[in-house]
Amino acid sequence: MRRALEMAGKAAGRTSPNPRVGAVIVKNGRMIAEGYHKKAGRPHGEIEALRKAGKKARGAQMFVNLEPCCHHGRTPPCTDAIIASGLKEVFIGMRDPNPLVAGKGIRRLKQAGIAVHNGVLTLQCRQLNEEFAKYIQTGTPWVILKSALSLDGKIATATGQSQWITGPEARERVHWMRDRVDAILVGPGTVLKDNPRLTTRLKKGRGHNPARVILDAKAEIPLNARVFQRAARDQVVYVTSSKASAVRLNRLRNTGVDIKILPNQSGHISLKKLIKMLGQMEITSLLIEGGSGLNASALKAGIVDKVVLFLAPLIIGGDTAPGVVGGPGVKSLKQALNLKKLTVTPVGADWMVEGYL
């Protein structure tokens, strides 16, 4: 099962809106084939492994991290192929949270006389597909809030300098995170201050560029900002309100930018409506790389599932230096948000703190 998880992980950031699935076939205690789902519309991991095993699959065992599908989607049901192959036993990491499957695949295999064992390395299997699980059950993306800060909680100096608080290893880890999500969200403050590209820049040109979602309720961002470049090649979603002029929107459309208009409520766009819209666009995972204002709004709206903070061994200080979360904050410690399942990992000279809300 660990090998199946390893195989599934090879397609991180590539299978959306489908889950990551790896499969390993074992016969007489020896692995004879393996496969993984590479991209939506391509064969699932079970099918890849069965094709490689061929006739040797008869009487063998399969290990797969997610319950095999039993419905027609972009591809035929995997359960049919498993039954036809003559496999005698299937070990499953976790039940599929998709309501179209949700135990039906297991029942189908058992009805065909195949021995099925569910719940192998379940926690690891759930973590691998946590984005898919939320998306398939709620229709909204899994949201990660990421920020880099000093030990005293500052994301920039009082003069606005923020490049670079963390070291090169932490910055590379952020590009690794970008490579594995469907989209990145930023607000106007980040674009106006840093003029970022929001692309994935891993070694040897590896990695894919997620969609860039630009939130700009007041239409403040200049049209020559770097986030709008390469829109004809990479997906760029510009989310604004009716305040944006037709001329501005037409100029962006002509460069390939996808324009989305949402209601402006007191100068802000509802983040709950935004992620609902992104879910309808089949965006299953979203990385927030904004400033203290967007971070505060996202946490207040309750859309954040996971927090990833990169702590640098620096003390910046300053009453006016921005913190990682802006706004008025909570009035009582009882209202403070608690992170669960906390992990702390050294990354170069910095520390990566991960937790779930």
Side-chain angles (χ1 to χ4, degrees), residues 97-113:
N98 185 346
L100 293 174
V101 185
K104 296 175 185 176
I106 293 173
R107 288 197 296 272
R108 178 78 180 92
L109 295 177
K110 287 182 176 179
Q111 288 168 358

Side-chain angles (χ1 to χ4, degrees), residues 1-15 18-23 35-37 64-66 93-94 97 120-134 142 144 176 180 284-285 306 341 356:
M1 189 60 74
R2 289 192 179 93
R3 179 58 180 167
L5 286 165
E6 185 180 339
M7 294 295 293
K10 290 185 176 183
R14 309 296 188 272
T15 63
N18 291 347
R20 303 166 191 165
V21 179
Y36 67 98
H37 182 43
V64 59
N65 61 290
L66 187 69
M94 64 174 282
V120 183
L121 298 183
T122 303
L123 291 178
Q124 294 92 321
C125 292
R126 284 177 179 167
Q127 187 173 20
L128 181 76
N129 276 309
E130 56 193 6
E131 304 98 331
F132 170 76
K134 182 191 177 185
W142 175 261
I144 305 168
W176 179 86
R180 284 154 175 78
T284 66
S285 54
K306 185 177 182 179
K341 301 178 185 177
Y356 293 83

Side-chain angles (χ1 to χ4, degrees), residues 146 173-181 287 308 310:
K146 185 277 301 179
R173 184 64 66 97
V174 171
H175 286 283
W176 179 86
M177 292 173 65
R178 289 179 179 178
D179 180 51
R180 284 154 175 78
V181 296
L287 179 64
V308 180
F310 291 91

Side-chain angles (χ1 to χ4, degrees), residues 96-315:
D96 193 335
N98 185 346
L100 293 174
V101 185
K104 296 175 185 176
I106 293 173
R107 288 197 296 272
R108 178 78 180 92
L109 295 177
K110 287 182 176 179
Q111 288 168 358
I114 296 174
V116 180
H117 311 275
N118 183 32
V120 183
L121 298 183
T122 303
L123 291 178
Q124 294 92 321
C125 292
R126 284 177 179 167
Q127 187 173 20
L128 181 76
N129 276 309
E130 56 193 6
E131 304 98 331
F132 170 76
K134 182 191 177 185
Y135 171 76
I136 204 66
Q137 293 178 93
T138 68
T140 58
W142 175 261
V143 180
I144 305 168
L145 189 153
K146 185 277 301 179
S147 191
L149 60 152
S150 62
L151 285 179
D152 57 338
K154 306 296 185 180
I155 61 172
T157 65
T159 60
Q161 184 182 1
S162 61
Q163 297 179 344
W164 298 102
I165 287 179
T166 52
E169 295 88 353
R171 297 199 297 274
E172 183 180 8
R173 184 64 66 97
V174 171
H175 286 283
W176 179 86
M177 292 173 65
R178 289 179 179 178
D179 180 51
R180 284 154 175 78
V181 296
D182 290 347
I184 300 173
L185 173 67
V186 294
T190 297
V191 178
L192 293 171
K193 182 171 69 71
D194 297 333
N195 194 21
R197 285 177 284 177
L198 299 182
T199 54
T200 299
R201 300 183 296 279
L202 292 170
K203 293 176 181 178
K204 298 180 181 180
R206 293 180 292 115
H208 89 294
N209 290 331
R212 303 194 287 275
V213 182
I214 317 303
L215 195 61
D216 190 17
K218 299 177 183 178
E220 303 171 278
I221 298 174
L223 299 181
N224 63 351
R226 294 201 293 186
V227 289
F228 295 132
Q229 295 174 7
R230 292 162 48 103
R233 177 178 174 180
D234 302 327
Q235 185 179 14
V236 178
V237 183
Y238 181 64
V239 185
T240 188
S241 68
S242 56
K243 286 191 174 184
S245 69
V247 172
R248 175 186 181 85
L249 298 183
N250 284 334
R251 286 184 62 184
L252 287 172
R253 280 195 191 96
N254 290 337
T255 64
V257 174
D258 186 6
I259 307 295
K260 302 293 183 184
I261 307 294
L262 288 177
N264 186 325
Q265 301 171 345
S266 303
H268 299 281
I269 288 173
S270 168
L271 293 181
K272 288 186 177 180
K273 290 182 178 179
L274 172 64
I275 65 162
K276 184 177 180 180
M277 180 194 74
L278 295 178
Q280 292 169 347
M281 296 170 63
E282 291 193 334
I283 288 175
T284 66
S285 54
L286 179 70
L287 179 64
I288 297 178
E289 292 201 50
S292 59
L294 180 57
N295 291 345
S297 297
L299 291 169
K300 183 178 179 180
I303 67 167
V304 179
D305 299 292
K306 185 177 182 179
V307 174
V308 180
L309 301 178
F310 291 91
L311 291 174
L314 304 174
I315 295 177

